[in-house]
mmCIF file of all heavy atoms in Angstrom:
data_model
loop_
_atom_site.group_PDB
_atom_site.id
_atom_site.type_symbol
_atom_site.label_atom_id
_atom_site.label_comp_id
_atom_site.label_asym_id
_atom_site.label_seq_id
_atom_site.Cartn_x
_atom_site.Cartn_y
_atom_site.Cartn_z
ATOM 1 N N MET B 701 334.497 46.075 211.503
ATOM 2 C CA MET B 701 334.257 46.337 212.922
ATOM 3 C C MET B 701 335.582 46.315 213.670
ATOM 4 O O MET B 701 336.391 45.415 213.463
ATOM 5 C CB MET B 701 333.318 45.260 213.474
ATOM 6 C CG MET B 701 332.557 45.717 214.693
ATOM 7 S SD MET B 701 331.421 47.044 214.298
ATOM 8 C CE MET B 701 330.651 47.265 215.892
ATOM 9 N N TYR B 702 335.776 47.306 214.524
ATOM 10 C CA TYR B 702 337.025 47.409 215.269
ATOM 11 C C TYR B 702 336.731 47.456 216.760
ATOM 12 O O TYR B 702 335.649 47.850 217.169
ATOM 13 C CB TYR B 702 337.782 48.681 214.873
ATOM 14 C CG TYR B 702 338.184 48.726 213.421
ATOM 15 C CD1 TYR B 702 337.337 49.252 212.456
ATOM 16 C CD2 TYR B 702 339.423 48.250 213.032
ATOM 17 C CE1 TYR B 702 337.713 49.292 211.134
ATOM 18 C CE2 TYR B 702 339.802 48.292 211.705
ATOM 19 C CZ TYR B 702 338.939 48.815 210.759
ATOM 20 O OH TYR B 702 339.312 48.862 209.455
ATOM 21 N N ARG B 703 337.721 47.029 217.541
ATOM 22 C CA ARG B 703 337.609 47.181 218.984
ATOM 23 C C ARG B 703 338.733 48.097 219.453
ATOM 24 O O ARG B 703 339.902 47.872 219.128
ATOM 25 C CB ARG B 703 337.712 45.825 219.684
ATOM 26 C CG ARG B 703 337.512 45.932 221.198
ATOM 27 C CD ARG B 703 337.849 44.640 221.892
ATOM 28 N NE ARG B 703 337.036 43.540 221.403
ATOM 29 C CZ ARG B 703 335.817 43.250 221.851
ATOM 30 N NH1 ARG B 703 335.294 43.967 222.808
ATOM 31 N NH2 ARG B 703 335.145 42.246 221.356
ATOM 32 N N CYS B 704 338.358 49.095 220.220
ATOM 33 C CA CYS B 704 339.337 50.056 220.706
ATOM 34 C C CYS B 704 340.248 49.406 221.743
ATOM 35 O O CYS B 704 339.774 48.724 222.657
ATOM 36 C CB CYS B 704 338.596 51.246 221.302
ATOM 37 S SG CYS B 704 339.706 52.462 222.018
ATOM 38 N N ARG B 705 341.548 49.592 221.590
ATOM 39 C CA ARG B 705 342.495 49.027 222.557
ATOM 40 C C ARG B 705 342.504 49.801 223.861
ATOM 41 O O ARG B 705 342.973 49.304 224.876
ATOM 42 C CB ARG B 705 343.913 49.049 221.969
ATOM 43 C CG ARG B 705 344.089 48.232 220.715
ATOM 44 C CD ARG B 705 345.471 48.488 220.135
ATOM 45 N NE ARG B 705 345.607 47.971 218.778
ATOM 46 C CZ ARG B 705 346.086 46.766 218.513
ATOM 47 N NH1 ARG B 705 346.484 45.987 219.471
ATOM 48 N NH2 ARG B 705 346.172 46.349 217.265
ATOM 49 N N VAL B 706 342.012 51.046 223.817
ATOM 50 C CA VAL B 706 342.083 51.896 225.010
ATOM 51 C C VAL B 706 340.846 51.701 225.885
ATOM 52 O O VAL B 706 340.942 51.341 227.054
ATOM 53 C CB VAL B 706 342.227 53.370 224.608
ATOM 54 C CG1 VAL B 706 342.269 54.253 225.847
ATOM 55 C CG2 VAL B 706 343.486 53.557 223.761
ATOM 56 N N CYS B 707 339.651 51.913 225.308
ATOM 57 C CA CYS B 707 338.438 51.852 226.116
ATOM 58 C C CYS B 707 337.696 50.525 225.945
ATOM 59 O O CYS B 707 336.749 50.244 226.670
ATOM 60 C CB CYS B 707 337.516 53.032 225.789
ATOM 61 S SG CYS B 707 336.791 52.971 224.152
ATOM 62 N N GLY B 708 338.107 49.686 224.980
ATOM 63 C CA GLY B 708 337.536 48.353 224.846
ATOM 64 C C GLY B 708 336.194 48.310 224.139
ATOM 65 O O GLY B 708 335.610 47.248 223.994
ATOM 66 N N SER B 709 335.678 49.449 223.671
ATOM 67 C CA SER B 709 334.382 49.441 223.010
ATOM 68 C C SER B 709 334.538 49.129 221.527
ATOM 69 O O SER B 709 335.587 49.396 220.933
ATOM 70 C CB SER B 709 333.696 50.791 223.196
ATOM 71 O OG SER B 709 334.417 51.787 222.525
ATOM 72 N N GLU B 710 333.498 48.540 220.932
ATOM 73 C CA GLU B 710 333.526 48.232 219.511
ATOM 74 C C GLU B 710 333.104 49.453 218.719
ATOM 75 O O GLU B 710 332.169 50.158 219.099
ATOM 76 C CB GLU B 710 332.597 47.063 219.210
ATOM 77 C CG GLU B 710 333.131 45.760 219.785
ATOM 78 C CD GLU B 710 332.288 44.578 219.359
ATOM 79 O OE1 GLU B 710 331.225 44.799 218.778
ATOM 80 O OE2 GLU B 710 332.711 43.448 219.621
ATOM 81 N N THR B 711 333.783 49.688 217.609
ATOM 82 C CA THR B 711 333.516 50.876 216.814
ATOM 83 C C THR B 711 333.698 50.552 215.348
ATOM 84 O O THR B 711 334.352 49.568 214.997
ATOM 85 C CB THR B 711 334.461 52.021 217.225
ATOM 86 O OG1 THR B 711 334.285 53.102 216.336
ATOM 87 C CG2 THR B 711 335.907 51.582 217.178
ATOM 88 N N GLU B 712 333.086 51.357 214.493
ATOM 89 C CA GLU B 712 333.276 51.198 213.060
ATOM 90 C C GLU B 712 334.508 51.948 212.586
ATOM 91 O O GLU B 712 334.908 51.811 211.442
ATOM 92 C CB GLU B 712 332.046 51.701 212.313
ATOM 93 C CG GLU B 712 330.829 50.836 212.546
ATOM 94 C CD GLU B 712 329.606 51.401 211.858
ATOM 95 O OE1 GLU B 712 329.684 52.551 211.398
ATOM 96 O OE2 GLU B 712 328.589 50.696 211.797
ATOM 97 N N ARG B 713 335.103 52.737 213.481
ATOM 98 C CA ARG B 713 336.256 53.538 213.094
ATOM 99 C C ARG B 713 337.547 52.762 213.316
ATOM 100 O O ARG B 713 337.660 52.010 214.285
ATOM 101 C CB ARG B 713 336.294 54.827 213.917
ATOM 102 C CG ARG B 713 335.051 55.670 213.708
ATOM 103 C CD ARG B 713 335.155 56.932 214.517
ATOM 104 N NE ARG B 713 333.924 57.724 214.408
ATOM 105 C CZ ARG B 713 333.796 58.935 214.914
ATOM 106 N NH1 ARG B 713 334.796 59.489 215.552
ATOM 107 N NH2 ARG B 713 332.668 59.588 214.774
ATOM 108 N N ALA B 714 338.499 52.971 212.435
ATOM 109 C CA ALA B 714 339.791 52.300 212.574
ATOM 110 C C ALA B 714 340.630 52.962 213.657
ATOM 111 O O ALA B 714 341.596 52.384 214.122
ATOM 112 C CB ALA B 714 340.533 52.311 211.245
ATOM 113 N N VAL B 715 340.264 54.189 214.012
ATOM 114 C CA VAL B 715 341.002 54.895 215.064
ATOM 115 C C VAL B 715 340.020 55.324 216.144
ATOM 116 O O VAL B 715 338.956 55.859 215.860
ATOM 117 C CB VAL B 715 341.732 56.134 214.493
ATOM 118 C CG1 VAL B 715 342.414 56.900 215.614
ATOM 119 C CG2 VAL B 715 342.738 55.718 213.439
ATOM 120 N N HIS B 716 340.332 55.022 217.395
ATOM 121 C CA HIS B 716 339.455 55.373 218.512
ATOM 122 C C HIS B 716 340.330 55.796 219.685
ATOM 123 O O HIS B 716 341.401 55.227 219.887
ATOM 124 C CB HIS B 716 338.601 54.164 218.899
ATOM 125 C CG HIS B 716 337.336 54.519 219.622
ATOM 126 N ND1 HIS B 716 337.214 54.452 220.981
ATOM 127 C CD2 HIS B 716 336.138 54.934 219.141
ATOM 128 C CE1 HIS B 716 335.975 54.821 221.314
ATOM 129 N NE2 HIS B 716 335.304 55.119 220.217
ATOM 130 N N CYS B 717 339.897 56.769 220.402
ATOM 131 C CA CYS B 717 340.652 57.286 221.539
ATOM 132 C C CYS B 717 342.074 57.681 221.122
ATOM 133 O O CYS B 717 343.013 57.551 221.899
ATOM 134 C CB CYS B 717 340.706 56.262 222.671
ATOM 135 S SG CYS B 717 339.103 55.886 223.375
ATOM 136 N N GLY B 718 342.232 58.086 219.879
ATOM 137 C CA GLY B 718 343.538 58.539 219.425
ATOM 138 C C GLY B 718 344.509 57.422 219.102
ATOM 139 O O GLY B 718 345.669 57.676 218.802
ATOM 140 N N THR B 719 344.043 56.139 219.136
ATOM 141 C CA THR B 719 344.929 55.018 218.832
ATOM 142 C C THR B 719 344.294 54.158 217.751
ATOM 143 O O THR B 719 343.073 54.151 217.585
ATOM 144 C CB THR B 719 345.146 54.117 220.076
ATOM 145 O OG1 THR B 719 344.772 54.836 221.225
ATOM 146 C CG2 THR B 719 346.573 53.656 220.181
ATOM 147 N N ALA B 720 345.110 53.412 217.025
ATOM 148 C CA ALA B 720 344.599 52.500 216.008
ATOM 149 C C ALA B 720 343.829 51.379 216.695
ATOM 150 O O ALA B 720 344.340 50.740 217.620
ATOM 151 C CB ALA B 720 345.750 51.927 215.185
ATOM 152 N N ALA B 721 342.580 51.151 216.249
ATOM 153 C CA ALA B 721 341.754 50.112 216.861
ATOM 154 C C ALA B 721 342.089 48.751 216.259
ATOM 155 O O ALA B 721 342.581 48.642 215.129
ATOM 156 C CB ALA B 721 340.280 50.440 216.663
ATOM 157 N N GLU B 722 341.787 47.706 217.035
ATOM 158 C CA GLU B 722 342.053 46.339 216.589
ATOM 159 C C GLU B 722 340.858 45.826 215.793
ATOM 160 O O GLU B 722 339.716 45.982 216.214
ATOM 161 C CB GLU B 722 342.279 45.471 217.831
ATOM 162 C CG GLU B 722 342.652 44.046 217.533
ATOM 163 C CD GLU B 722 342.828 43.257 218.814
ATOM 164 O OE1 GLU B 722 342.528 43.792 219.888
ATOM 165 O OE2 GLU B 722 343.265 42.105 218.716
ATOM 166 N N ARG B 723 341.121 45.202 214.639
ATOM 167 C CA ARG B 723 340.013 44.734 213.806
ATOM 168 C C ARG B 723 339.415 43.446 214.378
ATOM 169 O O ARG B 723 340.131 42.507 214.695
ATOM 170 C CB ARG B 723 340.514 44.472 212.380
ATOM 171 C CG ARG B 723 339.411 44.037 211.445
ATOM 172 C CD ARG B 723 339.996 43.592 210.142
ATOM 173 N NE ARG B 723 340.473 44.722 209.337
ATOM 174 C CZ ARG B 723 339.700 45.387 208.492
ATOM 175 N NH1 ARG B 723 338.455 45.036 208.339
ATOM 176 N NH2 ARG B 723 340.191 46.367 207.790
ATOM 177 N N VAL B 724 338.111 43.421 214.528
ATOM 178 C CA VAL B 724 337.423 42.220 215.018
ATOM 179 C C VAL B 724 336.244 41.909 214.110
ATOM 180 O O VAL B 724 335.677 42.792 213.486
ATOM 181 C CB VAL B 724 336.916 42.399 216.468
ATOM 182 C CG1 VAL B 724 338.080 42.409 217.445
ATOM 183 C CG2 VAL B 724 336.110 43.646 216.602
ATOM 184 N N ARG B 725 335.869 40.663 214.058
ATOM 185 C CA ARG B 725 334.680 40.175 213.325
ATOM 186 C C ARG B 725 334.654 40.741 211.906
ATOM 187 O O ARG B 725 335.634 40.660 211.201
ATOM 188 C CB ARG B 725 333.410 40.556 214.095
ATOM 189 C CG ARG B 725 333.362 39.841 215.415
ATOM 190 C CD ARG B 725 332.035 40.071 216.070
ATOM 191 N NE ARG B 725 331.608 41.470 216.009
ATOM 192 C CZ ARG B 725 330.651 41.962 216.741
ATOM 193 N NH1 ARG B 725 330.006 41.188 217.567
ATOM 194 N NH2 ARG B 725 330.315 43.212 216.653
ATOM 195 N N GLY B 726 333.493 41.290 211.509
ATOM 196 C CA GLY B 726 333.374 41.828 210.161
ATOM 197 C C GLY B 726 333.163 40.714 209.148
ATOM 198 O O GLY B 726 332.218 39.950 209.246
ATOM 199 N N LEU B 727 334.090 40.607 208.203
ATOM 200 C CA LEU B 727 333.918 39.670 207.097
ATOM 201 C C LEU B 727 333.921 38.226 207.580
ATOM 202 O O LEU B 727 333.187 37.402 207.052
ATOM 203 C CB LEU B 727 335.031 39.872 206.067
ATOM 204 C CG LEU B 727 334.868 41.106 205.196
ATOM 205 C CD1 LEU B 727 336.064 41.263 204.267
ATOM 206 C CD2 LEU B 727 333.592 40.991 204.359
ATOM 207 N N ALA B 728 334.749 37.904 208.547
ATOM 208 C CA ALA B 728 334.842 36.525 209.014
ATOM 209 C C ALA B 728 333.500 36.044 209.557
ATOM 210 O O ALA B 728 333.056 34.952 209.228
ATOM 211 C CB ALA B 728 335.928 36.407 210.070
ATOM 212 N N ALA B 729 332.844 36.872 210.364
ATOM 213 C CA ALA B 729 331.553 36.484 210.926
ATOM 214 C C ALA B 729 330.522 36.325 209.816
ATOM 215 O O ALA B 729 329.709 35.414 209.830
ATOM 216 C CB ALA B 729 331.084 37.528 211.939
ATOM 217 N N LEU B 730 330.577 37.224 208.848
ATOM 218 C CA LEU B 730 329.646 37.141 207.731
ATOM 219 C C LEU B 730 329.850 35.838 206.973
ATOM 220 O O LEU B 730 328.899 35.170 206.594
ATOM 221 C CB LEU B 730 329.886 38.333 206.798
ATOM 222 C CG LEU B 730 328.646 38.990 206.207
ATOM 223 C CD1 LEU B 730 328.970 40.418 205.808
ATOM 224 C CD2 LEU B 730 328.161 38.238 204.985
ATOM 225 N N ASN B 731 331.108 35.458 206.762
ATOM 226 C CA ASN B 731 331.391 34.219 206.058
ATOM 227 C C ASN B 731 330.884 33.013 206.846
ATOM 228 O O ASN B 731 330.354 32.079 206.257
ATOM 229 C CB ASN B 731 332.899 34.085 205.818
ATOM 230 C CG ASN B 731 333.347 35.009 204.697
ATOM 231 O OD1 ASN B 731 332.516 35.469 203.912
ATOM 232 N ND2 ASN B 731 334.629 35.279 204.640
ATOM 233 N N ASN B 732 331.036 33.025 208.156
ATOM 234 C CA ASN B 732 330.539 31.927 208.968
ATOM 235 C C ASN B 732 329.031 31.783 208.821
ATOM 236 O O ASN B 732 328.516 30.683 208.706
ATOM 237 C CB ASN B 732 330.892 32.154 210.443
ATOM 238 C CG ASN B 732 332.315 31.718 210.746
ATOM 239 O OD1 ASN B 732 332.897 30.958 209.976
ATOM 240 N ND2 ASN B 732 332.851 32.195 211.834
ATOM 241 N N ASP B 733 328.327 32.909 208.825
ATOM 242 C CA ASP B 733 326.883 32.862 208.650
ATOM 243 C C ASP B 733 326.524 32.267 207.304
ATOM 244 O O ASP B 733 325.613 31.455 207.190
ATOM 245 C CB ASP B 733 326.296 34.267 208.757
ATOM 246 C CG ASP B 733 326.259 34.747 210.205
ATOM 247 O OD1 ASP B 733 326.436 33.897 211.088
ATOM 248 O OD2 ASP B 733 326.066 35.944 210.419
ATOM 249 N N ARG B 734 327.265 32.649 206.277
ATOM 250 C CA ARG B 734 326.975 32.123 204.944
ATOM 251 C C ARG B 734 327.271 30.635 204.867
ATOM 252 O O ARG B 734 326.542 29.886 204.229
ATOM 253 C CB ARG B 734 327.806 32.872 203.904
ATOM 254 C CG ARG B 734 327.240 34.255 203.646
ATOM 255 C CD ARG B 734 327.802 34.839 202.390
ATOM 256 N NE ARG B 734 327.238 36.172 202.173
ATOM 257 C CZ ARG B 734 327.758 37.061 201.351
ATOM 258 N NH1 ARG B 734 328.848 36.762 200.681
ATOM 259 N NH2 ARG B 734 327.200 38.229 201.190
ATOM 260 N N VAL B 735 328.350 30.210 205.519
ATOM 261 C CA VAL B 735 328.679 28.786 205.525
ATOM 262 C C VAL B 735 327.577 27.994 206.202
ATOM 263 O O VAL B 735 327.140 26.953 205.712
ATOM 264 C CB VAL B 735 330.040 28.563 206.213
ATOM 265 C CG1 VAL B 735 330.242 27.093 206.551
ATOM 266 C CG2 VAL B 735 331.166 29.048 205.314
ATOM 267 N N ASN B 736 327.081 28.501 207.330
ATOM 268 C CA ASN B 736 325.996 27.822 208.043
ATOM 269 C C ASN B 736 324.747 27.757 207.170
ATOM 270 O O ASN B 736 324.091 26.719 207.089
ATOM 271 C CB ASN B 736 325.677 28.566 209.343
ATOM 272 C CG ASN B 736 326.766 28.360 210.382
ATOM 273 O OD1 ASN B 736 327.521 27.393 210.305
ATOM 274 N ND2 ASN B 736 326.848 29.256 211.330
ATOM 275 N N LEU B 737 324.437 28.860 206.513
ATOM 276 C CA LEU B 737 323.258 28.898 205.653
ATOM 277 C C LEU B 737 323.400 27.907 204.506
ATOM 278 O O LEU B 737 322.492 27.125 204.218
ATOM 279 C CB LEU B 737 323.082 30.315 205.101
ATOM 280 C CG LEU B 737 321.852 30.528 204.213
ATOM 281 C CD1 LEU B 737 320.591 30.452 205.055
ATOM 282 C CD2 LEU B 737 321.927 31.877 203.526
ATOM 283 N N LEU B 738 324.572 27.903 203.873
ATOM 284 C CA LEU B 738 324.808 27.015 202.747
ATOM 285 C C LEU B 738 324.719 25.555 203.166
ATOM 286 O O LEU B 738 324.144 24.728 202.456
ATOM 287 C CB LEU B 738 326.190 27.293 202.136
ATOM 288 C CG LEU B 738 326.239 28.456 201.159
ATOM 289 C CD1 LEU B 738 327.666 28.681 200.672
ATOM 290 C CD2 LEU B 738 325.327 28.185 199.965
ATOM 291 N N SER B 739 325.270 25.217 204.330
ATOM 292 C CA SER B 739 325.262 23.824 204.754
ATOM 293 C C SER B 739 323.843 23.359 205.077
ATOM 294 O O SER B 739 323.486 22.225 204.787
ATOM 295 C CB SER B 739 326.195 23.604 205.941
ATOM 296 O OG SER B 739 325.871 24.487 206.979
ATOM 297 N N SER B 740 323.015 24.255 205.645
ATOM 298 C CA SER B 740 321.638 23.830 205.930
ATOM 299 C C SER B 740 320.851 23.695 204.637
ATOM 300 O O SER B 740 320.030 22.788 204.495
ATOM 301 C CB SER B 740 320.957 24.789 206.900
ATOM 302 O OG SER B 740 321.271 26.118 206.624
ATOM 303 N N VAL B 741 321.108 24.576 203.659
ATOM 304 C CA VAL B 741 320.449 24.449 202.360
ATOM 305 C C VAL B 741 320.880 23.149 201.690
ATOM 306 O O VAL B 741 320.067 22.401 201.143
ATOM 307 C CB VAL B 741 320.788 25.663 201.464
ATOM 308 C CG1 VAL B 741 320.396 25.397 200.027
ATOM 309 C CG2 VAL B 741 320.087 26.910 201.984
ATOM 310 N N PHE B 742 322.175 22.853 201.768
ATOM 311 C CA PHE B 742 322.694 21.629 201.158
ATOM 312 C C PHE B 742 322.094 20.403 201.828
ATOM 313 O O PHE B 742 321.703 19.442 201.154
ATOM 314 C CB PHE B 742 324.221 21.624 201.272
ATOM 315 C CG PHE B 742 324.854 20.446 200.613
ATOM 316 C CD1 PHE B 742 324.931 20.364 199.232
ATOM 317 C CD2 PHE B 742 325.368 19.418 201.377
ATOM 318 C CE1 PHE B 742 325.519 19.272 198.626
ATOM 319 C CE2 PHE B 742 325.950 18.319 200.779
ATOM 320 C CZ PHE B 742 326.029 18.239 199.403
ATOM 321 N N ALA B 743 321.979 20.424 203.145
ATOM 322 C CA ALA B 743 321.400 19.297 203.875
ATOM 323 C C ALA B 743 319.939 19.110 203.462
ATOM 324 O O ALA B 743 319.477 17.979 203.287
ATOM 325 C CB ALA B 743 321.517 19.521 205.380
ATOM 326 N N GLY B 744 319.220 20.217 203.287
ATOM 327 C CA GLY B 744 317.834 20.133 202.855
ATOM 328 C C GLY B 744 317.713 19.528 201.466
ATOM 329 O O GLY B 744 316.885 18.654 201.216
ATOM 330 N N LEU B 745 318.598 19.960 200.580
ATOM 331 C CA LEU B 745 318.591 19.422 199.213
ATOM 332 C C LEU B 745 318.934 17.936 199.212
ATOM 333 O O LEU B 745 318.329 17.144 198.477
ATOM 334 C CB LEU B 745 319.604 20.176 198.347
ATOM 335 C CG LEU B 745 319.139 21.533 197.828
ATOM 336 C CD1 LEU B 745 320.268 22.224 197.081
ATOM 337 C CD2 LEU B 745 317.934 21.366 196.905
ATOM 338 N N LEU B 746 319.901 17.556 200.042
ATOM 339 C CA LEU B 746 320.307 16.164 200.126
ATOM 340 C C LEU B 746 319.142 15.310 200.624
ATOM 341 O O LEU B 746 318.857 14.237 200.067
ATOM 342 C CB LEU B 746 321.512 16.043 201.062
ATOM 343 C CG LEU B 746 322.289 14.736 200.970
ATOM 344 C CD1 LEU B 746 322.998 14.641 199.634
ATOM 345 C CD2 LEU B 746 323.317 14.666 202.110
ATOM 346 N N GLY B 747 318.456 15.791 201.644
ATOM 347 C CA GLY B 747 317.302 15.062 202.165
ATOM 348 C C GLY B 747 316.216 14.934 201.110
ATOM 349 O O GLY B 747 315.608 13.873 200.956
ATOM 350 N N TRP B 748 316.015 15.990 200.342
ATOM 351 C CA TRP B 748 314.998 15.955 199.297
ATOM 352 C C TRP B 748 315.386 14.943 198.215
ATOM 353 O O TRP B 748 314.562 14.165 197.724
ATOM 354 C CB TRP B 748 314.853 17.352 198.683
ATOM 355 C CG TRP B 748 313.909 17.378 197.523
ATOM 356 C CD1 TRP B 748 312.550 17.460 197.589
ATOM 357 C CD2 TRP B 748 314.257 17.303 196.144
ATOM 358 N NE1 TRP B 748 312.033 17.436 196.329
ATOM 359 C CE2 TRP B 748 313.055 17.340 195.415
ATOM 360 C CE3 TRP B 748 315.463 17.200 195.459
ATOM 361 C CZ2 TRP B 748 313.031 17.287 194.031
ATOM 362 C CZ3 TRP B 748 315.442 17.142 194.074
ATOM 363 C CH2 TRP B 748 314.232 17.185 193.380
ATOM 364 N N ALA B 749 316.698 14.932 197.850
ATOM 365 C CA ALA B 749 317.162 14.016 196.815
ATOM 366 C C ALA B 749 317.012 12.575 197.274
ATOM 367 O O ALA B 749 316.579 11.705 196.498
ATOM 368 C CB ALA B 749 318.624 14.315 196.479
ATOM 369 N N ILE B 750 317.347 12.295 198.510
ATOM 370 C CA ILE B 750 317.214 10.935 199.036
ATOM 371 C C ILE B 750 315.734 10.530 199.068
ATOM 372 O O ILE B 750 315.367 9.412 198.692
ATOM 373 C CB ILE B 750 317.848 10.852 200.437
ATOM 374 C CG1 ILE B 750 319.377 10.928 200.310
ATOM 375 C CG2 ILE B 750 317.457 9.557 201.135
ATOM 376 C CD1 ILE B 750 320.100 11.000 201.631
ATOM 377 N N GLY B 751 314.890 11.473 199.476
ATOM 378 C CA GLY B 751 313.461 11.183 199.514
ATOM 379 C C GLY B 751 312.904 10.930 198.116
ATOM 380 O O GLY B 751 312.015 10.104 197.927
ATOM 381 N N ALA B 752 313.436 11.625 197.111
ATOM 382 C CA ALA B 752 312.962 11.439 195.750
ATOM 383 C C ALA B 752 313.449 10.115 195.178
ATOM 384 O O ALA B 752 312.781 9.514 194.334
ATOM 385 C CB ALA B 752 313.451 12.595 194.879
ATOM 386 N N LEU B 753 314.613 9.655 195.639
ATOM 387 C CA LEU B 753 315.170 8.412 195.108
ATOM 388 C C LEU B 753 314.418 7.192 195.615
ATOM 389 O O LEU B 753 314.205 6.234 194.883
ATOM 390 C CB LEU B 753 316.654 8.302 195.486
ATOM 391 C CG LEU B 753 317.631 9.037 194.570
ATOM 392 C CD1 LEU B 753 319.038 8.948 195.126
ATOM 393 C CD2 LEU B 753 317.590 8.439 193.162
ATOM 394 N N PHE B 754 314.043 7.243 196.900
ATOM 395 C CA PHE B 754 313.428 6.043 197.490
ATOM 396 C C PHE B 754 311.926 6.221 197.668
ATOM 397 O O PHE B 754 311.464 6.977 198.405
ATOM 398 C CB PHE B 754 314.116 5.700 198.819
ATOM 399 C CG PHE B 754 315.577 5.395 198.623
ATOM 400 C CD1 PHE B 754 316.538 6.321 198.972
ATOM 401 C CD2 PHE B 754 315.980 4.185 198.065
ATOM 402 C CE1 PHE B 754 317.886 6.048 198.787
ATOM 403 C CE2 PHE B 754 317.321 3.915 197.881
ATOM 404 C CZ PHE B 754 318.273 4.837 198.231
HETATM 405 ZN ZN1 ZN N 950 338.105 54.083 222.614
#
């Protein structure tokens, strides 16, 4: 995902309005979502393990 430096709109193109667009989000946001998902899954597993122990 790119943001155009000229008109400020987000685009999938690396070039917009005749200029190179600035890269935003994309993989980083996806990784954050995965980290959040993994941590909630891990927390659920941890709670289950503690519940099984006691
Ligand atoms: Zn533009």
Side-chain angles (χ1 to χ4, degrees):
M701 204 66 177
Y702 298 89
R703 184 190 301 275
C704 177
R705 298 172 193 267
V706 179
C707 69
S709 66
E710 291 186 351
T711 173
E712 292 177 349
R713 300 181 184 187
V715 176
H716 203 261
C717 296
T719 342
E722 184 181 7
R723 182 189 286 272
V724 289
R725 295 188 315 195
L727 285 177
L730 220 157
N731 285 342
N732 278 342
D733 285 346
R734 284 196 180 163
V735 166
N736 287 338
L737 182 70
L738 277 177
S739 54
S740 40
V741 167
F742 183 74
L745 281 175
L746 196 68
W748 175 82
I750 288 174
L753 277 175
F754 299 104

